[in-house]
Amino acid sequence: MSAHSSSEDAEADRILMIKKILSAAFYAFASFMITVVNKTVLTSYAFPSYQVLGLGQMIATILVLWCGRSLKVVQFPPLDSGIAHRIWPLPVIYLGNMATGLGGTKELSLPMFTALRRFSILMTMILERFVLGIKASWPVQVSVMAMVGGALLAAVDDVTFSWTGYTLVLLNDGFTAANGVYMKKKLDSKDLGKYGLMYYNALFMIVPAAIVAWCTGDLEHSAAYPHWDNMLFLAQFLMSCLMGFVLSYSVMLCTQYNSALTTTIIGCLKNILVTYLGMIIGGDYVYSLLNFVGLNISVLASLGYTYVTFKRKPNNYMLLNEANSRVNTV
């Protein structure tokens, strides 16, 4: 009986580890794709407003999930007076995360954008400690510090330095960390589920986001954009909108099966490819030796974290996550 129980536990652990790896890979792919597409739309095609692009992503998320619920493909609770309280503060974090992320993508070269995004890892590790009560192991802490150190080294010799870009990316790091940690907390509460969190995040923030875009003149500038008849641009704009939904779903899935810190670091790990492609895409990266060395240190530290995370044996915290994951699967 004991051997049979051990065999079942081992099989359950194996299946959950596969889910952890696949959800992480899915998130990495979605995050890579949307970063490249956003960069192309905002820089190569010089689309005037990252806020309007963000509105398109929110509209796509609402439409896809509304249609999915109507067709009974997905399920989440209907809107009621208590939804806003149950989901708070995720909508504000969601809006801030999207707006600052798109703004930083527009202002900085992709290699520097991805390097500075590694500060979100340090912020997530700190928030996990104080909000969720999870303390990272020493190997994880060392790899995180190495990632941040590499990013700092790259920033020292960034000849394309932009106060606006750096401010937006560091704000985005804070929003990303808060989003991951509070999303993990909401998912573990078994309340709205991942589809409900995605839907109501976008629904509650679309009107405030539209008002901000109107007040700043972004709606007017976007309406006057001269390349709406360019089919290649239009295809990439629509792809960015749909990828906004795919990215939100992949973040939920990865956070559900892994920790918030792992989700944040996977998001930075996929930037290994973005870092090197970014030296070609967009045309705004300027090479310098110190900057290049710093970028590579940060990349190697990301690989080190991945090894530490997925090679370590399950501990009590991971077993708790496994139980939560089985319950929360929708």
Side-chain angles (χ1 to χ4, degrees):
M1 190 71 178
S2 177
H4 180 68
S5 178
S6 299
S7 176
E8 286 185 343
D9 289 343
E11 180 64 16
D13 289 343
R14 187 185 69 82
I15 292 173
L16 189 67
M17 181 55 69
I18 291 173
K19 289 181 178 179
K20 286 175 179 287
I21 294 172
L22 289 179
S23 63
F26 177 41
Y27 169 52
F29 173 75
S31 185
F32 166 74
M33 286 298 298
I34 197 171
T35 300
V36 173
V37 173
N38 285 345
K39 185 64 177 176
T40 302
V41 170
L42 293 169
T43 302
S44 299
Y45 284 99
F47 186 70
S49 174
Y50 59 83
Q51 294 186 63
V52 172
L53 185 60
L55 277 173
Q57 294 177 359
M58 295 167 75
I59 291 170
T61 298
I62 292 169
L63 288 177
V64 169
L65 288 174
W66 184 83
C67 291
R69 186 172 66 175
S70 298
L71 297 172
K72 302 189 184 304
V73 175
V74 299
Q75 294 181 352
F76 52 90
L79 181 63
D80 60 47
S81 58
I83 290 286
H85 175 74
R86 286 147 65 192
I87 202 173
W88 184 263
L90 280 179
V92 175
I93 296 171
Y94 169 83
L95 179 60
N97 191 20
M98 182 175 59
T100 55
L102 289 169
T105 302
K106 184 175 184 179
E107 293 290 334
L108 296 178
S109 68
L110 279 180
M112 275 314 304
F113 173 78
T114 55
L116 291 174
R117 286 288 290 131
R118 286 172 173 82
F119 280 90
S120 63
I121 299 167
L122 177 61
M123 296 177 186
T124 302
M125 187 171 67
I126 294 170
L127 275 179
E128 275 196 338
R129 181 72 179 90
F130 289 102
V131 176
L132 300 179
I134 299 169
K135 184 177 181 180
S137 65
W138 278 109
V140 168
Q141 293 183 44
V142 169
S143 61
V144 168
M145 293 304 174
M147 279 185 252
V148 172
L152 285 172
L153 185 63
V156 166
D157 201 25
D158 179 18
V159 296
T160 61
F161 178 83
S162 161
W163 276 112
T164 303
Y166 271 58
T167 301
L168 284 171
V169 174
L170 291 175
L171 282 172
N172 184 234
D173 292 340
F175 282 121
T176 298
N179 187 63
V181 170
Y182 281 99
M183 186 187 301
K184 183 67 177 176
K185 189 174 182 180
K186 298 294 182 181
L187 284 170
D188 286 349
S189 70
K190 305 182 294 296
D191 191 359
L192 296 173
K194 53 182 175 285
Y195 299 116
L197 288 175
M198 290 170 60
Y199 182 78
Y200 291 115
N201 271 345
L203 185 66
F204 289 157
M205 284 296 106
I206 192 166
V207 173
I211 292 173
V212 170
W214 177 71
C215 291
T216 57
D218 279 34
L219 287 177
E220 184 179 351
H221 294 151
S222 299
Y225 181 66
H227 300 301
W228 284 114
D229 58 347
N230 184 326
M231 296 306 297
L232 188 57
F233 161 76
L234 197 58
Q236 293 188 70
F237 183 88
L238 292 175
M239 183 184 297
S240 175
C241 293
L242 288 174
M243 285 304 300
F245 161 73
V246 174
L247 179 65
S248 296
Y249 178 73
S250 68
V251 168
M252 294 279 183
L253 207 60
C254 187
T255 304
Q256 183 176 352
Y257 289 116
N258 297 280
S259 69
L261 181 59
T262 297
T263 299
T264 302
I265 292 186
I266 291 299
C268 292
L269 183 61
K270 58 84 188 176
N271 288 331
I272 292 175
L273 188 54
V274 174
T275 296
Y276 297 117
L277 281 180
M279 296 175 185
I280 303 170
I281 297 172
D284 52 0
Y285 175 71
V286 180
Y287 172 83
S288 75
L289 179 61
L290 190 60
N291 179 269
F292 186 73
V293 169
L295 291 174
N296 281 278
I297 289 174
S298 198
V299 163
L300 291 173
S302 299
L303 290 172
Y305 172 84
T306 306
Y307 177 82
V308 168
T309 300
F310 289 105
K311 283 293 183 181
R312 63 185 174 181
K313 294 180 179 179
N315 53 29
N316 290 337
Y317 167 65
M318 290 179 69
L319 291 174
L320 177 60
N321 276 343
E322 290 171 5
N324 288 334
S325 297
R326 293 187 189 109
V327 171
N328 287 327
T329 303
V330 178

